[in-house]
Amino acid sequence: MTTATATTERNAAVKLEGLSKTYPGGQIPAVNELSLNVEDGEVYTLLGPSGCGKTTTLRMVAGLEIPDEGDIYFGDREVVVTSKRYRLPPDKRDLGMVFQSYAIWPHMTVEENVAFPLATRHMRRTEIRERVAHVLDLVGLPGLQKRPAPLLSGGQQQRVALARALVIEPKILLLDEPFSNLDAKLREQMRIELKLLQKRLNIAVLFVTHDQIEALSLSNRIALMNLGIMQQQGPPQLLYEEPANEFVRDFIGKTVLLRGKVQSSNPSGQVSVAIDGGPNCVIFGRSYNPDGLSSGEDVYTAIRPEDIDVRPAVGNDIPDGAIAGTVTAALFTGERMEYQVEVDGQGTLQVFGERHTPASDGNKVTLTLRPDGHSVWSSDWTHTETGEGV
Amino acid sequence: MATATQVARRVLPGRIANLEPQYVIFVGGLGLILALLVIAPLAILLFYSLWSVGPVDDGGSFTLENYRKTFLSSTTYELLFNTAVFGIGSVAVGLAFGVSLAWVVERTNAPLRNFAFVVAIITAGIPPLLYAMAWVFLLNPRTGVFNMPFTQEWGLGWDKGIFNPYTLGTLVVVEAFRLTPTIFLMVVGLFRSMDPALEEAASTSGANMTTTVRKVTLPVMLPGLLGVIIFVGTATIGLFELPAILGMPGGIHVFATRIYIAMDTTPRDYGLATSLGTVAALIGIVGIYYYHRVTRVQQKFATITGKGYRPRRMDLGKYRPWAGAAIIGYFLLMVVLPSVVLIYASTQTFFKPPSIEAIQGGSLEAYREIFGQDAFWIGLRNSLMLIATVPIATILLSAVVSWIVVRSKAPGRGILDTLAFVPFTAPSIVFGLAFLLIAFWVDWIPVYGTIWLIVIVHVARFLAYGTRATNGAMFQLHKELEEAGSVSGVGWLTVFRQITLRLLVPSLIAGWLWVAIHSGRELSMALLLSTRDSQILSLVAWGAWENGRSNEAAAVGMILMAMMTVIVIIARIVTVRLTREQG
């Protein structure tokens, strides 16, 4: 289940304990018994499909939704303690938040928008002006103070929203799908800028997205959620290479599932599998089945497409560690070839090949598999439908 | 002059190919019709305000005498003052009620929120004439229901009630009550078109509820609110019914009632009526100019909304029951009391405060009486005629105008849009007056004295509302749906008939319903145009009221209300069935 990182208990920048929320009329909880810590200076991402509860969680941290159960702490500060019926209103939480729609107030200029959080804190005018200028420099909009908000482009609106969130120099920054309304190029650029900015300011960021590329590239840690339940949390590599369950396996990155039989296994979960369709293709992987796997059992090995080397077949020999197949469709996508390959005992697989030695429709190919580092599963079942954690 | 129905019929089934000259004729012809319906009346009004004699006399010359007389008379300034107090006062009070109700319904967890909606829609449909009558029954110093505790229990004497319906203050308050549901419905629309994240961003920026409402919610809604203010304000300034029933008995005049009096005396004072009418129309034009500017600014404010509409509702806590009580109070005050008192009044030969004996002594005498009158049956027939022709003609004409304005690239389409909106500027009674002048001028067209004259006036007037509805619907209709039709190789007229109109049907029915209700209950336009044979029901009620037969007025009013209810129900059934068919 969760590979909880045991760290300093009380001093996490954001600490959620057993948070639950069911919307009126909702069949299942939007968020179910969620616990997590966001450390200082860390980008912590809530990732998942729409309706998984990630936005609800973020809104509960912001104070825009009230949890039914559970507690929230910012450092040593109590924010929500359900048992004490204690709840800090959103305007007292001193955090920065960037909304998906940016929520730039259309009746104000850029300066008025950014100065608003300072003005509600009754700061002196000269100081406000200084800090607004400083934060606008920081987000790359120097000198835009007097621009009316409706005249901003999408990218500029996003920067203003970020400036408004950062102007009080918060310890915690909440980002609700901040890149989803930008075009692809701008999105990449803003992603890098945000990462640099976050490193410079060293603040804790709680980031919500449904885009795994954003999550993998920006985060120190990711929590993958589905139907209100956290499926796995940890550094991006951990989720990619050691998925805790079928949902994590299928949501993050692409996988090719190959049928095979268990040859041997050890108690620590290491398994060797003979892949169907290859005369001598045994690869190693790790099973997360708590009961262990027994020899001869039918299993599925999940292999990342980049761990499969696709080459045109030479003669009729199939080398060790490889399986043979016939190309039924070959698509040139620019950076690589995408193939549909028919493999005996496996059905149709979707794999990638490099572009310099392409195979075409009807060609025989060999698929050489990376010998180890895969995950082994007793079913090809995906948890998407039920959302139950393992 | 051709009626709008004939226009619609002539234009639609034509088999015009997609050729430029015909396109020009089509758009140009439409412009001409609108100009005749809209510009001609205002022009003729202006003309007679500058002419020394009325339309029935020969001769005459250019003169400023009418304006001189009007502006030298102190009653004119009294009237301007009353109109200003009436307009500003009732809009201000109505805004206070309407905006707070909308806020409670849209932004808090008050109970009965959906109920408030239903109440608002029902009240917005009550004819102003009936609403005014009901408040006379409620507030009359001798027999008013609200005065009962003072006249009977406290023994202050039978004519010493503390409420008086015939004051400027009462006029303002009753009009504010009447405007509340309309303002409420419009402001709810404003709340809904606003991205809730704007308020949430203020919250997370450290602003509390009051600061958020003051610094973000209200300023963001301001252009929209100004639009609402100008819209209801212009309508109120031109209103006849309430000032006629609540104002005139106490000698309180506004534009509409003064013009009515000028035309009700013998000989008719055309000079006064036309000069006052021109001034009122000018005020209206200024108002509409600002309405246009303000709504254009509002479009600039439109922001992208990231998520579905799910605003954070404020928890009222222990005040929740109070909010519920306020909604029930609103329901009792604005719907139940006026309706019950009208039903009761229609059974009383002489209005007495309600008591066990009075209710037992009630009879359906008034209904028997009106069923025996020819005037009632003529009025009923003509009112049904109005409902049968005006809404369909208005909506079809509106759809064509909107289509050209929104979709085509025809030069001058902006002028069409403006033309269609001009009728909104002048008070209804001024519009009626202008068409009366036209009818006298072109007396070789035998339209005066028939219901058709009233049909034309109604179509011209309601075009302003019709085009707003169809413009909005047309904007929402994705252009590619029509382009797919064009690509399939059919002409633009077929595309308009087979695709655009069909897809717009639900919105067209909504627009139709709006026009049907307003046309069916409208009094002031017909007031100056009707003869014995072109009576309509609202006029029959007004006539009975003027002659002191309040029970008959109430009875006719109840029948009018019943008719409206039937229409609303039928329209609702048709809409539900159609939307179910289209999935």
Side-chain angles (χ1 to χ4, degrees):
Chain A
M1 203 198 145
T2 59
T3 49
T5 40
T7 39
T8 44
E9 271 307 316
R10 211 70 176 112
N11 291 325
V14 181
K15 182 183 177 71
L16 311 185
E17 274 180 0
L19 220 53
S20 292
K21 166 90 186 172
T22 308
Y23 284 110
Q27 296 292 320
I28 59 157
V31 174
N32 200 347
E33 305 252 332
L34 183 74
S35 300
L36 58 84
N37 291 338
V38 184
E39 305 300 333
D40 281 315
E42 179 185 40
V43 178
Y44 189 101
T45 299
L46 297 170
L47 174 67
S50 58
C52 73
K54 56 189 191 299
T55 297
T56 304
T57 307
L58 190 80
R59 290 171 63 85
M60 287 194 285
V61 174
L64 300 172
E65 301 284 354
I66 304 162
D68 302 333
E69 291 294 332
D71 305 334
I72 301 176
Y73 304 92
F74 293 168
D76 291 328
R77 192 170 168 210
E78 288 181 339
V79 176
V80 176
V81 184
T82 308
S83 58
K84 289 200 240 166
R85 305 190 119 267
Y86 176 77
R87 187 164 60 83
L88 203 62
D91 47 293
K92 299 280 182 290
R93 295 192 183 189
D94 292 321
L95 37 75
M97 179 162 178
V98 176
F99 291 80
Q100 187 180 11
S101 63
Y102 312 138
I104 303 298
W105 298 304
H107 59 293
M108 297 181 187
T109 61
V110 167
E111 183 169 33
E112 288 165 338
N113 262 284
V114 177
F116 188 87
L118 302 177
T120 58
R121 287 170 174 78
H122 304 293
M123 199 172 272
R124 273 183 303 115
R125 269 219 171 133
T126 45
E127 200 182 341
I128 290 182
R129 202 166 303 139
E130 260 169 45
R131 286 177 70 164
V132 168
H134 175 245
V135 79
L136 284 178
D137 273 350
L138 205 63
V139 299
L141 290 178
L144 230 61
Q145 275 90 332
K146 300 295 173 215
R147 180 81 55 95
L151 301 183
L152 296 172
S153 71
Q156 287 172 329
Q157 284 192 35
Q158 213 247 11
R159 287 162 199 259
V160 172
L162 191 60
R164 184 176 65 190
L166 292 175
V167 75
I168 59 161
E169 293 169 9
K171 289 206 175 67
I172 303 156
L173 177 64
L174 308 180
L175 304 174
D176 184 8
E177 309 233 8
F179 306 117
S180 64
N181 285 321
L182 299 178
D183 61 59
K185 262 223 171 95
L186 202 53
R187 197 179 302 179
E188 266 172 44
Q189 185 193 339
M190 289 307 296
R191 212 151 63 198
I192 293 167
E193 285 185 23
L194 185 70
K195 184 75 191 178
L196 292 173
L197 199 60
Q198 184 268 335
K199 273 189 176 162
R200 203 152 108 206
L201 301 174
N202 197 35
I203 54 176
V205 176
L206 186 56
F207 175 47
V208 158
T209 183
H210 66 272
D211 182 327
Q212 46 166 310
I213 307 283
E214 266 171 36
L216 293 171
S217 59
L218 270 178
S219 318
N220 297 95
R221 281 189 300 152
I222 297 174
L224 181 61
M225 296 180 67
N226 189 32
L227 297 174
I229 295 167
M230 188 200 277
Q231 306 292 320
Q232 186 176 12
Q233 70 169 340
Q237 286 92 338
L238 181 80
L239 268 69
Y240 192 75
E241 287 168 2
E242 296 177 25
N245 62 38
E246 287 91 334
F247 178 81
V248 180
R249 178 194 78 197
D250 294 342
F251 189 86
I252 298 196
K254 288 195 164 132
T255 50
V256 177
L257 285 178
L258 294 175
R259 293 165 213 259
K261 279 194 168 50
V262 175
Q263 274 204 331
S264 63
S265 63
N266 69 13
S268 66
Q270 292 293 335
V271 186
S272 64
V273 179
I275 301 296
D276 294 358
N280 193 11
C281 181
V282 177
I283 57 175
F284 296 88
R286 201 182 156 84
S287 161
Y288 299 94
N289 191 334
D291 304 332
L293 296 166
S294 47
S295 297
E297 196 175 324
D298 285 323
V299 289
Y300 290 86
T301 307
I303 303 183
R304 299 293 177 183
E306 65 270 19
D307 290 343
I308 303 176
D309 188 24
V310 184
R311 303 265 168 194
V314 185
N316 282 330
D317 290 347
I318 303 170
D320 287 356
I323 52 178
T326 311
V327 175
T328 54
L331 308 174
F332 173 64
T333 64
E335 51 188 356
R336 64 189 183 198
M337 297 295 297
E338 281 186 27
Y339 298 113
Q340 296 254 38
V341 178
E342 191 74 35
V343 177
D344 279 350
Q346 300 288 359
T348 308
L349 306 178
Q350 202 172 359
V351 294
F352 305 134
E354 57 91 45
R355 63 190 158 92
H356 294 292
T357 51
S360 36
D361 288 8
N363 286 9
K364 297 269 182 210
V365 288
T366 55
L367 312 180
T368 311
L369 311 176
R370 191 190 150 88
D372 55 10
H374 309 296
S375 56
V376 181
W377 310 86
S378 49
S379 77
D380 62 351
W381 175 58
T382 294
H383 285 252
T384 317
E385 307 298 324
T386 60
E388 288 166 19
V390 171
Chain B
M1 181 187 281
T3 70
T5 359
Q6 286 160 349
V7 169
R9 219 171 276 143
R10 178 154 49 81
V11 161
L12 283 175
R15 290 175 146 237
I16 314 166
N18 191 3
L19 287 173
E20 277 310 306
Q22 273 139 336
Y23 198 77
V24 171
I25 292 168
F26 180 75
V27 175
L30 204 61
L32 201 67
I33 293 164
L34 289 189
L36 279 178
L37 282 176
V38 168
I39 296 296
L42 293 181
I44 208 163
L45 186 72
L46 181 66
F47 170 79
Y48 276 113
S49 74
L50 296 168
W51 203 246
S52 57
V53 296
V56 283
D57 300 309
D58 295 323
S61 60
F62 173 82
T63 176
L64 286 173
E65 181 64 16
N66 293 329
Y67 286 99
R68 203 182 65 84
K69 270 211 306 231
T70 304
F71 283 102
L72 281 182
S73 159
S74 66
T75 54
T76 303
Y77 295 98
E78 217 172 277
L79 170 157
L80 279 171
F81 172 79
N82 287 342
T83 310
V85 171
F86 178 52
I88 296 169
S90 52
V91 170
V93 179
L95 214 58
F97 284 137
V99 172
S100 36
L101 191 64
W103 186 77
V104 166
V105 166
E106 283 298 305
R107 288 290 193 268
T108 73
N109 64 345
L112 300 170
R113 297 196 302 262
N114 285 330
F115 177 69
F117 250 101
V118 178
V119 175
I121 292 168
I122 298 173
T123 348
I126 297 180
L129 183 69
L130 288 184
Y131 205 67
M133 288 182 192
W135 282 94
V136 170
F137 292 131
L138 290 174
L139 297 181
N140 192 291
R142 277 176 296 167
T143 54
V145 178
F146 284 179
N147 279 323
M148 273 164 64
F150 309 105
T151 51
Q152 296 181 355
E153 306 300 323
W154 293 9
L156 286 179
W158 60 277
D159 58 350
K160 298 281 198 317
I162 63 162
F163 293 108
N164 182 357
Y166 309 120
T167 67
L168 191 54
T170 320
L171 192 55
V172 165
V173 171
V174 172
E175 172 65 0
F177 283 173
R178 198 186 70 86
L179 288 178
T180 302
T182 311
I183 293 174
F184 164 78
L185 291 171
M186 291 175 93
V187 172
V188 163
L190 292 180
F191 269 118
R192 292 198 171 170
S193 63
M194 182 175 152
D195 183 356
L198 292 175
E199 286 170 317
E200 291 170 356
S203 238
T204 57
S205 296
N208 59 25
M209 202 72 189
T210 3
T211 315
T212 304
V213 168
R214 204 161 45 86
K215 288 279 178 66
V216 174
T217 315
L218 284 180
V220 169
M221 283 179 33
L222 190 64
L225 276 182
L226 277 179
V228 173
I229 289 171
I230 298 173
F231 187 86
V232 294
T234 315
T236 295
I237 287 173
L239 189 71
F240 171 77
E241 288 91 334
L242 263 72
I245 287 182
L246 299 174
M248 283 204 303
I252 299 160
H253 276 290
V254 296
F255 271 114
T257 53
R258 194 73 196 87
I259 293 170
Y260 169 69
I261 293 295
M263 296 297 289
D264 203 38
T265 50
T266 333
R268 286 171 162 179
D269 191 346
Y270 284 104
L272 178 64
T274 50
S275 52
L276 278 180
T278 308
V279 172
L282 275 178
I283 295 175
I285 286 171
V286 172
I288 291 312
Y289 171 73
Y290 280 104
Y291 176 75
H292 258 283
R293 273 189 42 167
V294 152
T295 43
R296 208 175 327 130
V297 174
Q298 197 192 352
Q299 282 164 0
K300 263 203 317 208
F301 269 37
T303 45
I304 34 162
T305 318
K307 299 238 166 60
Y309 173 74
R310 199 180 60 193
R312 197 161 56 103
R313 291 191 182 275
M314 187 190 165
D315 184 8
L316 290 177
K318 61 181 181 197
Y319 296 107
R320 232 178 139 244
W322 289 105
I327 289 174
I328 290 179
Y330 159 73
F331 172 62
L332 288 177
L333 195 63
M334 308 220 179
V335 182
V336 175
L337 273 175
S339 310
V340 169
V341 83
L342 273 177
I343 297 174
Y344 167 76
S346 74
T347 66
Q348 301 292 313
T349 319
F350 298 103
F351 188 82
K352 296 180 283 294
S355 60
I356 306 286
E357 305 95 80
I359 291 168
Q360 279 169 346
S363 72
L364 295 179
E365 183 59 32
Y367 294 89
R368 246 196 311 278
E369 186 68 34
I370 56 170
F371 288 153
Q373 294 167 4
D374 285 345
F376 170 77
W377 295 107
I378 296 171
L380 181 65
R381 195 194 62 206
N382 283 333
S383 282
L384 288 174
M385 191 79 112
L386 277 185
I387 293 167
T389 55
V390 172
I392 186 104
T394 309
I395 289 304
L396 282 181
L397 196 57
S398 302
V400 176
V401 170
S402 297
W403 190 60
I404 290 169
V405 169
V406 176
R407 280 288 192 267
S408 81
K409 291 171 187 67
R413 59 185 192 282
I415 299 175
L416 274 191
D417 194 31
T418 313
L419 269 186
F421 201 57
V422 165
F424 187 71
T425 56
S428 305
I429 195 163
V430 174
F431 220 61
L433 169 66
F435 270 86
L436 180 72
L437 297 172
I438 292 185
F440 284 146
W441 195 332
V442 289
D443 53 2
W444 36 272
I445 302 177
V447 75
Y448 179 71
T450 70
I451 189 66
W452 297 110
L453 181 59
I454 297 167
V455 169
I456 297 170
V457 184
H458 276 200
V459 170
R461 170 84 181 175
F462 292 130
L463 203 58
Y465 299 93
T467 48
R468 291 319 95 183
T470 46
N471 274 0
M474 204 80 77
F475 270 120
Q476 280 169 8
L477 189 68
H478 205 291
K479 209 177 166 189
E480 286 176 2
L481 292 168
E482 288 175 292
E483 286 169 348
S486 297
V487 172
S488 319
V490 255
W492 57 273
L493 203 57
T494 316
V495 169
F496 178 71
R497 265 168 41 215
Q498 300 279 353
I499 297 173
T500 316
L501 273 187
R502 295 270 172 96
L503 287 174
L504 286 179
V505 160
S507 336
L508 294 186
I509 291 179
W512 180 93
L513 182 62
W514 196 95
V515 176
I517 290 172
H518 284 79
S519 178
R521 78 187 198 190
E522 160 66 34
L523 167 69
S524 41
M525 277 187 276
L527 203 58
L528 303 181
L529 296 173
S530 277
T531 57
R532 195 182 171 284
D533 287 333
S534 55
Q535 288 260 11
I536 53 175
L537 273 191
S538 55
L539 264 176
V540 175
W542 166 248
W545 181 267
E546 278 240 288
N547 290 319
R549 301 193 306 270
S550 63
N551 59 335
E552 285 178 32
V556 176
M558 292 319 300
I559 291 165
L560 197 59
M561 283 282 279
M563 261 168 63
M564 295 300 154
T565 313
V566 170
I567 291 169
V568 172
I569 291 169
I570 291 173
R572 181 86 202 121
I573 291 170
V574 171
T575 321
V576 167
R577 190 160 297 170
L578 274 176
T579 40
R580 202 184 299 145
E581 262 173 33
Q582 293 184 352

